[in-house]
Amino acid sequence: LARGYLGQPGLTAERFVPDGYSEEAGARLYRTGDKVRWGPDGTLEYLGRMDFQVKVRGFRIELGEVEAALAAQAEVRDAVVVVREDAPGDKRLVAYVTAQPNHRVDAATLRSALKGRLPEYMVPSAFVVLEALPLNASGKVDRKALPKPVVGTSVTGKVIAPRDTTELQLVSIWEDLLGMQPISVDADFFELGGHSLLAVRLMTAIRKRLGKGLPLAALFLSPTVERLAALLRQDAAPSLSPLVPIQPEGSRPPLFCVHPAGGNVLGYVELSRRLGPDQPFYGLRSLGLEAEQAPLETIESMATTYVEAVRAQQPEGPYLLAGWSMGGAVAYEMARQLRAAGQTVALLALIDPGSVSQAGGTGAEDEQIQQELAALFAEAPEAGDPASKDALLARLLDEAKKAGAVTPDVELKDFRVLMRVFELNRQATRQYTPVPHAGDITVFRASRSVDPAPLGRDRGWGALGSVTLFELEGDHYSLLRAPHVTALAEQLRERIAKALEDAGSK
């Protein structure tokens, strides 16, 4: 056994540990960092490296598992996956591969293959094809020598350069946020590793740099530079409809999902993708988020406005409605109003909704509301009680900037708009008392959620109608994120199919 690491006493103490199995004084063991499974027959199965387990956007990932999925592809000879942070605060997975002799490696093909084998959060944001992997003096892959990703291509594998000033400015913004260049003007923002927090930063940067704003909803329908540039050239006013077409294609009746207390629908992106390309998916966002309209102040008025938007998109039932958190109460009221108008609501799904109280309405306690606000903007823990709402708002904005949830140039007045929507939604939830009506209710309950009121496993919704309860792994927030969102999507897909079948037989 070696004596230690030269000139590194801290690392020596960490890796060279006392040997508890030896009777010899001063005997030591070396902690290799290898991860193995000890079988019942005494064999050791090598599983990978302990230091190759990483955490990206809250998800723990075994890099060896991603590498194994890449190595299983016929055209891949060697594969290494690392976490890079080329843009401050934005960690992303990057895969480096070499091709088998007489084979060609295509990034789009690899991405598609991995999506079929791994959760979406484990699929690398970028793929870099090398002639050979760099090695160190020991013959191991030199991970520090792996190059920065330099291409953000479209699915065709080609790079289409900017064709005018607007596209050039947008490409510059995307390169800064995504930490890669050059970026093709027809490359999909989400395929390149974009996510909900980066989407907020993207739209803020566009408004600051180009002097023109677009609603977040525009990114779902136009997730490429060229399509966003087309919207900016039209100088069109943002849509005043609460309806956000997250995934408008498909042959089935659309699923309409209502916003949580934060007012936005970005949290539904992963769920919409898990439901598949044939399931149209629309979000219903709070009015007032873009500051063009006054926010609605009651659950009843929200439901009435949202029903109008839904019926403009789908004039007749059967309707599929859902809502997460506070959105469950709004979806319930929408179902009540639609059924009162003689329409069929085939599915009413409440995703980890607040508890029902005949005296106090639906909703959560202040502590949970503040946690949701923190999770919405920065996923930052609370720290003390500020003396005023402005102090709270300023502190949350500061935490959001530190966490990279918003760009440093976001001003307090912009943040105040979002906070006002949140506060009004909280007040509306507290004042709402749901009226019982005939109709089935599906409740998806997160197993690790904390109930603000002891009203049973279904949180009291059974008193308002016939409830089918599903308990799924996760907490209030992780239920809509990988890996837990996969189970939610599977159950929701089955409930949609059954609901439409039942509606068709009536």
Side-chain angles (χ1 to χ4, degrees):
L1 192 67
R3 285 179 293 176
Y5 287 95
L6 182 62
Q8 300 183 67
L11 186 57
T12 298
E14 176 187 343
R15 293 300 183 89
F16 291 83
V17 298
D19 185 353
Y21 302 97
S22 175
E23 296 180 357
E24 180 183 347
R28 297 178 303 158
L29 294 172
Y30 175 65
R31 192 186 302 276
T32 67
D34 294 319
K35 183 178 180 180
V36 299
R37 178 186 292 115
W38 195 354
D41 61 353
T43 60
L44 294 178
E45 179 187 358
Y46 176 71
L47 301 177
R49 294 281 303 170
M50 294 295 290
D51 51 6
F52 290 168
Q53 183 186 82
V54 297
K55 194 171 185 179
V56 178
R57 300 206 309 274
F59 302 116
R60 292 196 179 278
I61 299 171
E62 292 279 1
L63 296 180
E65 189 174 350
V66 186
E67 292 172 352
L70 281 168
Q73 306 306 309
E75 66 271 29
V76 174
R77 182 180 64 191
D78 298 307
V80 172
V81 179
V82 301
V83 175
R84 299 191 66 101
E85 193 175 355
D86 297 309
D90 182 33
K91 294 182 179 179
R92 62 184 60 242
L93 291 181
V94 178
Y96 296 85
V97 298
T98 63
Q100 293 282 10
N102 302 318
H103 283 70
R104 179 178 174 273
V105 175
D106 177 70
T109 301
L110 287 181
R111 180 179 284 112
S112 177
L114 262 58
K115 283 187 174 181
R117 298 188 53 163
L118 300 171
E120 189 166 348
Y121 68 92
M122 292 180 67
V123 177
S125 300
F127 295 82
V128 180
V129 181
L130 302 174
E131 291 292 330
L133 297 176
L135 304 179
N136 57 27
S138 303
K140 298 181 179 180
V141 175
D142 187 352
R143 293 172 180 261
K144 294 182 179 180
L146 292 167
K148 177 181 177 180
V150 294
V151 176
T153 65
S154 65
V155 294
T156 63
K158 300 178 181 179
V159 177
I160 301 175
R163 294 158 294 196
D164 64 14
T165 303
T166 301
E167 289 187 351
L168 182 63
Q169 290 176 304
L170 288 177
V171 164
S172 176
I173 294 171
W174 283 39
E175 289 176 349
D176 289 344
L177 287 178
L178 295 171
M180 59 178 67
Q181 60 176 318
I183 286 178
S184 178
V185 298
D186 65 340
D188 186 287
F189 177 78
F190 297 103
E191 291 289 336
L192 294 177
H195 48 81
S196 58
L197 294 181
L198 279 181
V200 175
R201 296 174 61 187
L202 173 65
M203 291 318 206
T204 301
I206 289 174
R207 185 174 70 253
K208 296 293 184 181
R209 198 175 301 185
L210 278 69
K212 298 179 181 179
L214 289 172
L216 276 170
L219 192 59
F220 296 116
L221 281 180
S222 305
T224 67
V225 164
E226 61 181 357
R227 291 168 67 179
L228 281 180
L231 291 179
L232 289 166
R233 292 189 203 99
Q234 294 169 7
D235 202 23
S239 171
L240 300 182
S241 171
L243 206 61
V244 178
I246 296 176
Q247 205 295 97
E249 305 298 327
S251 61
R252 301 169 183 168
L255 175 64
F256 299 94
C257 285
V258 185
H259 61 82
N264 226 310
V265 293
L266 284 171
Y268 289 127
V269 172
E270 288 191 58
L271 177 60
S272 71
R273 294 188 172 186
R274 293 298 197 285
L275 289 175
D278 197 40
Q279 177 58 65
F281 194 111
Y282 289 82
L284 287 157
R285 67 181 179 94
S286 285
L287 300 185
L289 281 177
E290 310 295 340
E292 293 89 10
Q293 303 155 296
L296 299 172
E297 299 187 20
T298 68
I299 296 295
E300 291 86 351
S301 62
M302 292 178 202
T304 300
T305 301
Y306 300 167
V307 164
E308 291 177 0
V310 164
R311 297 198 70 178
Q313 177 65 35
Q314 182 188 346
E316 300 292 329
Y319 292 103
L320 306 175
L321 304 177
W324 170 56
S325 193
M326 166 206 168
V330 183
Y332 177 87
E333 178 62 24
M334 290 174 65
R336 190 195 67 78
Q337 293 185 15
L338 282 166
R339 286 166 175 157
Q343 292 294 321
T344 299
V345 177
L347 177 72
L348 171 59
L350 313 184
I351 303 172
D352 209 46
S355 297
V356 172
S357 169
Q358 297 300 333
T362 62
E365 299 296 334
D366 277 350
E367 182 178 355
Q368 183 173 341
I369 290 291
Q370 296 299 345
Q371 289 174 354
E372 185 167 335
L373 181 62
L376 174 68
F377 294 119
E379 297 185 358
E382 292 296 312
D385 295 321
S388 67
K389 286 186 177 181
D390 278 349
L392 168 64
L393 190 62
R395 182 171 60 79
L396 284 174
L397 177 57
D398 184 58
E399 292 292 340
K401 290 181 178 181
K402 290 178 181 177
V406 297
T407 51
D409 54 359
V410 171
E411 299 176 2
L412 193 61
K413 63 181 179 64
D414 303 315
F415 206 68
R416 187 175 284 109
V417 171
L418 300 176
M419 182 63 176
R420 171 168 167 73
V421 170
F422 191 93
E423 290 283 356
L424 288 175
N425 283 342
R426 178 181 68 171
Q427 181 178 338
T429 303
R430 285 179 156 183
Q431 294 175 346
Y432 176 61
T433 299
V435 178
H437 75 283
D440 295 334
I441 306 172
T442 298
V443 174
F444 294 102
R445 184 185 191 278
S447 62
R448 296 201 297 271
S449 280
V450 177
D451 289 334
L455 295 175
R457 304 302 291 174
D458 66 358
R459 296 184 178 142
W461 290 96
L464 303 176
S466 175
V467 165
T468 301
L469 176 65
F470 293 89
E471 292 205 43
L472 302 176
E473 181 63 25
D475 60 31
H476 187 64
Y477 304 105
S478 67
L479 191 63
L480 283 176
R481 301 172 184 166
H484 301 313
V485 70
T486 300
L488 172 61
E490 290 174 355
Q491 293 288 353
L492 187 54
R493 192 183 300 113
E494 291 181 6
R495 296 299 294 174
I496 289 173
K498 184 179 185 304
L500 293 176
E501 181 182 349
D502 292 345
S505 63
K506 293 180 180 178

